[in-house]
Amino acid sequence: MNSRYFGDVISPQVTQCAPVNNDQALIEAGETAALEPSRVPGIYFPVTGQQRDVYRTKTGKRLTPHQWNVYNFAMTIPGGKVATYKEVAADAGGSPRSVCNALRNNPFSPYVPCHRVIASDLFVGGFFGERGKDHKTGTRYNEKVDILSKEGVHFNEKGHLLSAKVLWKP
């Protein structure tokens, strides 16, 4: 595979496996950045071009090159930092809306940390298709805020980022 983020990497087939050591506790705590894909239970993340060509989502759909670019970029955002949909679009291609749609349909969560991408106005943004406390159930909004809070990224009561120091740019 020749990837902007991983270089020329040939990776062995990654398969689903049981948690190793205390990985499940890390996942539940939202601390998945240090986990390798093969160590995140139930998540298969294709790395090579060949693996990605044959990969299908649970609904049988292929992922577009744009989606792979967005997921690759999201994986480079370190824990405790966030990037905006606009920044991801500038690097991965497409528009902020297309980045949002790719992340909304992220089949690799939590391994691909879609929760680390926020709106350009520094609002916490959407999570699993819900935006804000008053959208649909509002539970997804709270879930994203909680995950980011555990990573050291905090928002005010209206959902806006408290400190621009956690904004990450490649």
Side-chain angles (χ1 to χ4, degrees):
M1 167 175 106
N2 188 4
S3 167
R4 176 177 180 175
Y5 304 101
F6 299 107
D8 290 329
V9 176
I10 301 297
S11 176
Q13 177 87 10
V14 178
T15 58
Q16 297 180 5
C17 67
V20 178
N21 299 329
N22 199 19
D23 288 356
Q24 191 60 42
L26 289 172
I27 292 167
E28 289 172 3
E31 298 176 9
T32 58
L35 298 177
E36 297 175 15
S38 60
R39 295 188 61 203
V40 178
I43 296 179
Y44 167 81
F45 186 79
V47 178
T48 68
Q50 182 180 8
Q51 291 170 337
R52 289 179 174 192
D53 286 343
V54 298
Y55 176 80
R56 300 294 182 271
T57 65
K58 290 179 183 178
T59 59
K61 295 181 180 178
R62 292 186 70 186
L63 297 178
T64 67
H66 173 67
Q67 287 172 300
W68 288 116
N69 289 340
V70 170
Y71 301 148
N72 287 342
F73 183 90
M75 290 174 55
T76 66
I77 305 169
K81 298 287 185 180
V82 292
T84 65
Y85 294 105
K86 183 178 179 179
E87 286 291 329
V88 177
D91 198 89
S95 67
R97 173 90 39 149
S98 68
V99 168
C100 178
N101 286 330
L103 294 175
R104 177 185 318 165
N105 298 304
N106 175 9
F108 309 110
S109 180
Y111 180 67
V112 173
C114 52
H115 63 278
R116 294 187 186 141
V117 182
I118 65 172
S120 294
D121 64 358
L122 306 185
F123 180 70
V124 69
F127 196 54
F128 288 98
E130 290 190 15
R131 181 176 165 87
K133 295 178 187 177
D134 301 325
H135 190 268
K136 296 182 184 176
T137 68
T139 57
R140 294 299 193 164
Y141 167 87
N142 293 328
E143 186 178 345
K144 183 173 182 176
V145 170
D146 290 344
I147 292 169
L148 287 169
S149 179
K150 288 177 185 174
E151 293 183 356
V153 179
H154 302 286
F155 297 86
N156 65 21
E157 64 282 345
K158 293 184 178 181
H160 286 88
L161 190 64
L162 286 176
S163 172
K165 291 180 181 180
V166 297
L167 284 174
W168 181 80
K169 292 186 181 186

